Amino acid sequence: MEYPLLLEGYRRDRRKLLEFLLSAGLARSPLGNSIDLAGVDLDTISADYVLELIGSGGEFDPSEATRRYFDGLKYPIMKNSSSGNSFFFLSKPTYGCPPQRAAPHTGGEIAAKSTSNSIRKEEYLVDEDIGLSGNDSSIGVATIPESSQSIKDADTISLGLPALVTGLSDDDMRETAYEVLLASLVLGGEVHFLEEKKKEKKSRFLKGLMSKRDGLISQSQQENCYSDLLDTIRVQMEISETMHACIKQGFRLVGLRMTLEQIDIPFLLLELLSAICETDFPNERLHIQWRRRQANVLEELLMVSVNDDLNMQGTLKMFLSKLRSIKDQGLNVSGGFADILTIVKQYVSKLLRMPGKFGLQGESYFWTGSYHFNLKLYEKLLCSIFDILEDGQIIEEADEILGVLKLTWPILGIIQKIHDTLYAWVLFYQFIQTGKILLLRYTVLQMQKILSSNYDDGIGEAYIDHLICSVESYGSTKILNFVDAVFFIIKSWCHNQLEDYHLHFSQDKSIAFESVATLAVLCGVRFTDECKEIKYIGHMAGTLPESMLVHIFVEKSIQAAYRQAVSLSDSQSHVQLKHPLAILANELKLIAEKEHTLFNPVLRRLYPDSGRLAFILMHLLYGERLKPFLEEFSQLSENVKEVLTASNSLELCLVDKLYALYGNNMESFMINYLHPYQIKKFSGPLILQWIHAQHVSILQWTERAIEIEDWEPLSSQQRQAKSVVEVFRIVEETVDQFFSSNLPMDTIHLRSLLIGISQSLEVYVLHIVNQQVPKTTLFPSSPALTRYAESVNPFTRKKIYQPTTPEEKISIQLNNLTVRKLCVKLNTLYYVRDQLDNIEDAIKQSWALSLSGFTLLDCMSHTTNGQNVAAVYKSLSAQSESVDELFTVFDDVRRSAILASEKIFDFIGPRVIFWDVRESFLFSLYRGSVESARLEMFLPVIDQVLDCICDLIIDTLRDKVVLSICQAAMDGYIWVLLDGGPCRVFSERDVTLMQEDLAVLKIMVTSM
């Protein structure tokens, strides 16, 4: 069984079950007797209400049952599961999370139909002259996530047509619209209902998926091409087959005696009332409901014509009341059903004979007398193009349906411009309900078509001006014609969204922003007199309506976003323990980033100065709140620093956005609108104070680190001292804090920072130098001379040679100047020079980056004082070049480190030869005789020392250290020859041996 037929079966079974429960005595009426179901529409009775009523034994209230039914349509269909949060989909999703909104309201129970029955193609034509095509398959499924606010918009937005006084429901209007459509087809000769032929009923929601096994189309379908399309429309409008069959039976008779030119809605309904009998309905209740609806429609249409005639008004009300109450159509007594129809028909004929007011072809009295009713019926017909089972999808037969609906124009008083406008409204309203972006784009195209079309019909414009709507405008009622009302309502909705687009268009809804902005401008240019007053930078907007509209959107939205940010900063201040102005500045940076990346690319196409306005306005609004703070603070507390940092960061961000958009063209508007915060004036003393405090801190850390230094290598790979690593860590942290403050700085601040760093490193190097002792303290004292002088007693006994030792203080210092520690110091001094180069490069790079931002701020400050941008940039460029001279203070540190290293190089060799190995080398070489104490006996000792040194010293310094030791070895050899003392005696035969030893030393020295 196909889904539409299955749906009809479900509805029929539901009605039978409810009828059984209510008529079986399980529930009672307020009077205590059985319930009269003649006036009850079982399709709109809540089954839950009936079941609860039977369980509690309460009284049946039809109005409460109906209210419960329609209230239930606002929520998704739930099932009794343990989780309590399961619900049924109206479509068949194959992936994804549960929807974030309530199931859509459809006005009644909805059939379960395959999702293949809705359109999936981009090539669908919105209207006869409008089409969208492309390869991006995502366009057709783009959807704005709905919120409760969008659902409220759909509930409150309306065309402002006069209200229906008889309380006709949406179902009544939909069924009446279907009757009008059926009448236009029958009376136009497009459809023939043949009683002797019964066609097989088939749903054609998606004709492309019809099975090939269905065979060839029957001859009757070929003759009547509208039958399948009509069946699709019937299902789309949720008309039951029972009602369709009854109306069709009436039109078999009506069509024989009427023509399309002679028909109007009241006359059509009267003819149907006379043609359709109670036996045409499956039960009496349906017949009574149908007849009451017809009477209500007649009252809606006819009572307008007798507003000034109280007698005729009373007579019509009496007759229509009898139409509702008479049960037997066959009565021919006075006042019977047939007589009432005849009287009412005569009055309708009188109205039909009245000439039209505007001379339009086919115009009748009811074109203007009941225009509000006609437009609402046509709106129901247009809604039949939307798939009832899948929100926002347009069925494949939409083009064909729109063509068929033209047949209703003579009856409903529709002309081309009214059709185009109402169709745009239907697309827009459906977008409001479903959030489908494709519908919004179709709306934009339809509105563009209306504005670009040349209807060239003065009579038609006069007719449209008679179709009055009442719309709300800033708390008052505005009277407009139908077309202007549609434009005004769409304009009002779009303006409401765009006047706070930061709130309504978050990241996941940004896809709709461009279409909404375009639609707002298209509709808003017709109502330039409705534009709100421009508060900020008014003459920037110019005189073009489009520019003025976008100017207002940007102004209002930035103000709204600012107010929201202020509220957030006040509430978060106690939570984050930050000053509200600091939080506000950070929030405005986020707003500026969103404005720059999300909204401005769209708005600039409509209004080139939109970005300029947005960022200047943000700067202005924050400046108004910041100014009292800057004038009142008296001390440089942490809160003050926090606010100044955040304010400067915000100003830098805003100016950066402006520069990215307009480049050097910023000058023209900066002079007039931008008033810099002058953060530098307040932050300058704060930065200097902080730098001085850091100087003291770094010096204290440096002194503390070097005092506890034991001059052991950090590791086998990192052979420098631990203290120097700690010192540079503190320096780097200070530099990072200096540049991360985001405060505007001058060269005086950079100079102070560099001086503080260099002073700390000078102290460190100086401490190493002060630990050194003169190398002369290492040399042994010269022994007494072995030659005799004339004044010397030749018989005096010679003293034994005793080498002298340094003083105790010098000895303690020498104990701390071991070769191992000297190597670590050399490595450390080299590390100082190497890291100083890295620090210099890092500071220059950070300063260049910060200078690019501060240059923009300085440029803004100078140009607001009337200076030329080019001159400011030239001055700032020269200032940046002069910064290199500040780094010469590091050269003093480098020179000090080099001199200290040279002093250690000059000391380490004598330390090894004249101190560490003096016993085994100086005091043992050639002792006794040359032959018994040759140099080669002592070379392994020196090699052992050199091996130890090579493991300690870095590769870059190794050669210099070894050279120093070799040179000291040569000095030691010379000392042995000249000052070796009386324990050494040399003869001529020792010369050759000593020359060989000297050659070995020369080779060792020169090889270094």
Side-chain angles (χ1 to χ4, degrees):
M1 182 182 295
E2 294 202 18
Y3 287 109
L5 300 179
L6 186 62
L7 173 62
E8 295 297 338
Y10 289 157
R11 286 180 171 176
R12 183 171 56 254
D13 293 344
R14 182 182 186 278
R15 287 192 293 268
K16 289 181 179 179
L17 287 171
L18 286 175
E19 186 176 3
F20 169 75
L21 293 174
L22 293 174
S23 61
L26 300 176
R28 56 189 177 85
S29 67
L31 299 178
N33 53 5
S34 60
I35 299 174
D36 183 12
L37 299 179
V40 178
D41 183 4
L42 295 177
D43 285 334
T44 60
I45 295 297
S46 170
D48 290 336
Y49 172 79
V50 174
L51 294 175
E52 292 172 6
L53 188 67
I54 294 174
S56 62
E59 297 177 352
F60 177 73
D61 184 356
S63 61
E64 177 64 18
T66 302
R67 187 192 66 79
R68 285 278 301 273
Y69 171 78
F70 285 107
D71 286 347
L73 294 177
K74 298 178 181 179
Y75 305 99
I77 303 172
M78 306 296 292
K79 71 177 182 178
N80 296 325
S81 62
S82 58
S83 63
N85 60 359
S86 301
F87 58 90
F88 295 101
F89 287 98
L90 296 179
S91 59
K92 292 184 178 180
T94 57
Y95 65 94
C97 300
Q100 301 301 314
R101 59 184 179 84
H105 173 67
T106 59
E109 294 138 313
I110 303 177
K113 186 186 70 165
S114 172
T115 55
S116 63
N117 287 342
S118 59
I119 185 169
R120 301 291 185 189
K121 301 186 301 181
E122 280 299 309
E123 293 79 6
Y124 166 71
L125 296 179
V126 181
D127 203 348
E128 297 168 1
D129 301 326
I130 299 177
L132 292 178
S133 61
N135 296 323
D136 186 3
S137 59
S138 63
I139 297 178
V141 297
T143 307
I144 297 179
E146 287 190 10
S147 62
S148 58
Q149 182 62 39
S150 64
I151 296 174
K152 179 190 286 187
D153 290 342
D155 291 339
T156 57
I157 192 172
S158 67
L159 281 172
L161 292 168
L164 300 176
V165 297
T166 56
L168 290 167
S169 65
D170 283 345
D171 289 340
D172 294 335
M173 296 298 292
R174 191 168 53 249
E175 291 173 1
T176 303
Y178 184 73
E179 290 174 356
V180 172
L181 175 63
L182 213 57
S184 64
L185 288 170
V186 172
L187 300 178
E190 305 294 343
V191 174
H192 303 280
F193 298 122
L194 304 178
E195 188 173 5
E196 65 275 13
K197 290 186 179 181
K198 294 184 178 180
K199 299 189 327 173
E200 179 186 2
K201 303 299 180 182
K202 289 186 178 180
S203 173
R204 287 285 307 276
F205 264 22
L206 192 58
K207 58 188 178 183
L209 295 181
M210 290 289 290
S211 175
K212 295 182 179 181
R213 58 185 175 82
D214 287 343
L216 297 176
I217 301 176
S218 65
Q219 183 65 28
S220 62
Q221 289 175 324
Q222 293 177 357
E223 294 175 354
N224 193 349
C225 61
Y226 286 100
S227 59
D228 290 328
L229 184 62
L230 184 61
D231 194 50
T232 299
I233 296 174
R234 178 187 66 78
V235 176
Q236 284 291 107
M237 298 185 70
E238 300 181 73
I239 306 298
S240 66
E241 285 200 2
T242 300
M243 182 59 66
H244 175 74
C246 294
I247 302 303
K248 182 175 65 175
Q249 176 65 23
F251 280 129
R252 287 196 186 100
L253 301 175
V254 173
L256 298 176
R257 57 178 183 265
M258 295 180 62
T259 61
L260 188 60
E261 290 76 10
Q262 300 170 340
I263 199 63
D264 230 317
I265 296 178
F267 201 82
L268 169 66
L269 299 184
L270 291 171
E271 289 293 339
L272 286 177
L273 283 169
S274 62
I276 298 177
C277 302
E278 182 179 342
T279 57
D280 295 326
F281 289 86
N283 56 60
E284 179 186 3
R285 181 181 57 80
L286 290 178
H287 177 247
I288 293 176
Q289 290 177 354
W290 175 79
R291 196 168 65 190
R292 286 179 177 175
R293 173 172 62 81
Q294 305 298 73
N296 288 337
V297 173
L298 286 171
E299 181 178 349
E300 187 72 45
L301 297 175
L302 298 179
M303 294 308 294
V304 179
S305 64
V306 293
N307 283 336
D308 299 330
D309 190 344
L310 297 180
N311 292 331
M312 190 61 190
Q313 189 179 68
T315 302
L316 278 176
K317 280 189 175 182
M318 178 188 65
F319 287 152
L320 294 175
S321 178
K322 288 184 178 182
L323 281 179
R324 297 186 184 94
S325 59
I326 294 177
K327 295 183 179 181
D328 189 357
Q329 290 184 226
L331 294 177
N332 288 322
V333 296
S334 177
F337 188 84
D339 293 339
I340 292 175
L341 289 181
T342 302
I343 295 172
V344 176
K345 192 179 299 183
Q346 289 174 355
Y347 180 71
V348 171
S349 298
K350 176 183 176 182
L351 294 177
L352 288 176
R353 288 193 297 270
M354 295 175 61
K357 292 184 178 182
F358 303 100
L360 294 170
Q361 183 179 359
E363 181 187 358
S364 69
Y365 166 80
F366 293 102
W367 278 28
T368 54
S370 58
Y371 71 90
H372 64 295
F373 187 81
N374 296 342
L375 291 174
K376 289 180 179 180
L377 288 185
Y378 195 65
E379 181 182 0
K380 296 296 181 185
L381 292 172
L382 288 173
C383 287
S384 64
I385 68 170
F386 299 111
D387 195 333
I388 62 172
L389 300 182
E390 194 162 352
D391 287 344
Q393 292 294 337
I394 301 176
I395 62 174
E396 279 192 342
E397 297 87 345
D399 279 340
E400 301 171 34
I401 292 175
L402 291 175
V404 170
L405 296 187
K406 283 191 175 183
L407 298 175
T408 65
W409 290 12
I411 299 178
L412 299 176
I414 305 298
I415 60 176
Q416 185 65 49
K417 189 172 184 178
I418 293 176
H419 162 78
D420 293 341
T421 305
L422 191 54
Y423 186 59
W425 163 258
V426 169
L427 289 168
F428 175 75
Y429 189 78
Q430 194 72 11
F431 159 73
I432 296 297
Q433 286 184 311
T434 64
K436 295 291 184 180
I437 303 301
L438 190 59
L439 295 176
L440 180 62
R441 293 174 179 172
Y442 288 164
T443 304
V444 172
L445 294 175
Q446 187 70 12
M447 298 302 272
Q448 290 173 339
K449 175 190 173 183
I450 295 171
L451 293 173
S452 62
S453 296
N454 184 15
Y455 295 100
D456 195 21
D457 189 358
I459 298 176
E461 292 296 328
Y463 168 58
I464 292 174
D465 289 339
H466 190 79
L467 311 181
I468 300 300
C469 298
S470 300
V471 296
E472 294 294 325
S473 175
Y474 305 113
S476 61
T477 301
K478 191 178 185 69
I479 305 301
L480 299 171
N481 66 46
F482 170 71
V483 174
D484 287 343
V486 171
F487 274 79
F488 185 85
I489 294 168
I490 296 178
K491 183 269 301 184
S492 298
W493 184 89
C494 293
H495 284 207
N496 180 64
Q497 303 293 308
L498 294 174
E499 286 179 0
D500 194 359
Y501 53 74
H502 278 274
L503 173 66
H504 294 110
F505 297 94
S506 55
Q507 192 69 36
D508 55 346
K509 296 183 179 180
S510 60
I511 189 174
F513 178 72
E514 181 175 3
S515 297
V516 173
T518 303
L519 194 59
V521 172
L522 289 174
C523 298
V525 293
R526 297 169 69 98
F527 305 98
T528 53
D529 56 323
E530 294 284 338
C531 289
K532 297 179 181 179
E533 182 180 356
I534 295 176
K535 184 178 179 181
Y536 296 97
I537 321 177
H539 63 275
M540 184 188 292
T543 58
L544 292 177
E546 296 85 350
S547 299
M548 295 177 64
L549 283 174
V550 179
H551 188 103
I552 292 174
F553 297 155
V554 175
E555 178 182 301
K556 296 294 182 183
S557 186
I558 294 299
Q559 286 181 285
Y562 175 76
R563 289 192 296 269
Q564 179 66 23
V566 169
S567 176
L568 179 64
S569 64
D570 291 339
S571 62
Q572 292 293 316
S573 175
H574 300 293
V575 178
Q576 300 183 15
L577 301 178
K578 290 184 177 181
H579 196 282
L581 282 174
I583 300 176
L584 177 59
N586 294 331
E587 290 296 321
L588 289 179
K589 283 179 64 178
L590 298 177
I591 294 173
E593 188 64 32
K594 186 177 178 183
E595 179 76 25
H596 181 69
T597 59
L598 198 61
F599 301 119
N600 187 252
V602 175
L603 296 175
R604 281 193 74 187
R605 292 196 288 268
L606 301 171
Y607 179 39
D609 285 331
S610 60
R612 183 177 301 176
L613 171 64
F615 300 127
I616 289 177
L617 186 55
M618 276 188 248
H619 187 273
L620 175 63
L621 292 174
Y622 184 79
E624 292 175 352
R625 197 173 182 89
L626 178 66
K627 185 177 179 181
F629 174 84
L630 295 178
E631 293 175 349
E632 293 175 0
F633 79 88
S634 58
Q635 58 182 352
L636 300 174
S637 63
E638 190 64 29
N639 272 344
V640 172
K641 179 182 176 182
E642 189 177 74
V643 172
L644 293 178
T645 299
S647 302
N648 181 71
S649 179
L650 172 63
E651 188 169 43
L652 177 61
C653 173
L654 295 177
V655 176
D656 184 59
K657 303 300 182 191
L658 286 169
Y659 189 79
L661 289 174
Y662 302 102
N664 292 330
N665 294 326
M666 293 166 52
E667 177 182 0
S668 60
F669 62 88
M670 282 173 31
I671 296 176
N672 298 322
Y673 306 120
L674 282 178
H675 303 286
Y677 300 152
Q678 300 292 349
I679 300 296
K680 182 184 291 187
K681 181 176 69 174
F682 300 96
S683 65
L686 172 63
I687 296 175
L688 286 177
Q689 181 183 8
W690 178 83
I691 292 175
H692 294 158
Q694 292 302 111
H695 286 179
V696 176
S697 177
I698 294 176
L699 282 174
Q700 290 175 349
W701 274 97
T702 302
E703 292 172 355
R704 187 180 310 161
I706 203 168
E707 285 174 0
I708 63 175
E709 179 59 65
D710 57 2
W711 300 109
E712 288 294 324
L714 191 62
S715 67
S716 59
Q717 288 77 29
Q718 297 178 329
R719 303 173 188 177
Q720 67 274 9
K722 296 186 290 293
S723 58
V724 74
V725 176
E726 183 67 17
V727 169
F728 274 100
R729 183 188 65 81
I730 299 171
V731 170
E732 289 173 356
E733 288 181 357
T734 303
V735 172
D736 291 341
Q737 292 175 14
F738 177 79
F739 287 107
S740 64
S741 64
N742 287 325
L743 290 174
M745 292 174 286
D746 207 344
T747 53
I748 188 174
H749 302 116
L750 180 61
R751 180 174 180 274
S752 179
L753 175 69
L754 298 179
I755 290 175
I757 295 173
S758 63
Q759 287 178 348
S760 299
L761 296 178
E762 286 275 13
V763 168
Y764 188 89
V765 174
L766 182 62
H767 185 87
I768 296 176
V769 172
N770 291 337
Q771 289 180 337
Q772 295 299 117
V773 297
K775 68 177 181 178
T776 56
T777 60
L778 300 171
F779 299 150
S781 59
S782 299
L785 293 175
T786 57
R787 291 179 295 135
Y788 293 96
E790 291 182 357
S791 60
V792 176
N793 186 355
F795 301 100
T796 303
R797 186 178 180 179
K798 295 186 290 185
K799 297 180 179 180
I800 301 174
Y801 170 69
Q802 296 290 338
T804 60
T805 59
E807 297 178 0
E808 183 179 356
K809 181 179 179 181
I810 299 298
S811 298
I812 294 174
Q813 287 180 309
L814 286 174
N815 291 333
N816 293 324
L817 295 175
T818 62
V819 173
R820 181 180 182 86
K821 293 182 178 181
L822 290 174
C823 289
V824 173
K825 287 182 178 181
L826 286 172
N827 295 338
T828 300
L829 290 171
Y830 185 83
Y831 182 83
V832 168
R833 288 184 288 157
D834 185 62
Q835 286 299 110
L836 194 61
D837 293 339
N838 295 336
I839 289 288
E840 180 176 344
D841 292 339
I843 292 176
K844 286 182 177 180
Q845 184 177 4
S846 299
W847 180 258
L849 292 175
S850 62
L851 188 63
S852 64
F854 300 140
T855 299
L856 291 174
L857 290 179
D858 292 337
C859 179
M860 186 178 68
S861 300
H862 286 79
T863 52
T864 50
N865 294 328
Q867 297 185 24
N868 182 268
V869 174
V872 173
Y873 269 103
K874 184 177 180 180
S875 173
L876 293 173
S877 298
Q879 178 182 349
S880 63
E881 293 175 359
S882 64
V883 169
D884 292 338
E885 299 177 359
L886 300 179
F887 289 90
T888 56
V889 295
F890 285 171
D891 294 339
D892 296 335
V893 179
R894 294 187 181 94
R895 282 192 292 268
S896 298
I898 292 172
L899 291 175
S901 299
E902 292 296 333
K903 192 170 185 179
I904 295 175
F905 284 134
D906 193 44
F907 180 83
I908 194 171
R911 165 74 199 208
V912 172
I913 301 299
F914 289 92
W915 190 264
D916 293 340
V917 297
R918 61 182 176 176
E919 293 294 337
S920 58
F921 181 67
L922 291 181
F923 299 158
S924 300
L925 181 66
Y926 298 157
R927 192 177 184 89
S929 66
V930 173
E931 186 175 2
S932 61
R934 293 285 301 275
L935 178 64
E936 60 185 12
M937 298 172 59
F938 307 106
L939 288 180
V941 176
I942 298 177
D943 288 340
Q944 184 179 0
V945 173
L946 292 177
D947 290 340
C948 180
I949 289 176
C950 290
D951 291 337
L952 289 172
I953 202 72
I954 61 176
D955 296 342
T956 307
L957 305 176
R958 181 182 299 139
D959 292 346
K960 281 193 172 185
V961 173
V962 173
L963 178 60
S964 175
I965 294 173
C966 292
Q967 289 175 343
M970 180 63 73
D971 293 337
Y973 185 79
I974 295 173
W975 182 88
V976 168
L977 296 180
L978 299 180
D979 296 322
C983 61
R984 294 178 175 85
V985 178
F986 306 107
S987 63
E988 289 185 8
R989 60 186 177 85
D990 296 329
V991 173
T992 303
L993 298 176
M994 295 172 65
Q995 286 179 342
E996 292 177 356
D997 290 344
L998 180 61
V1000 172
L1001 278 177
K1002 286 182 178 180
I1003 294 173
M1004 185 172 65
V1005 172
T1006 55
S1007 63
M1008 295 294 108

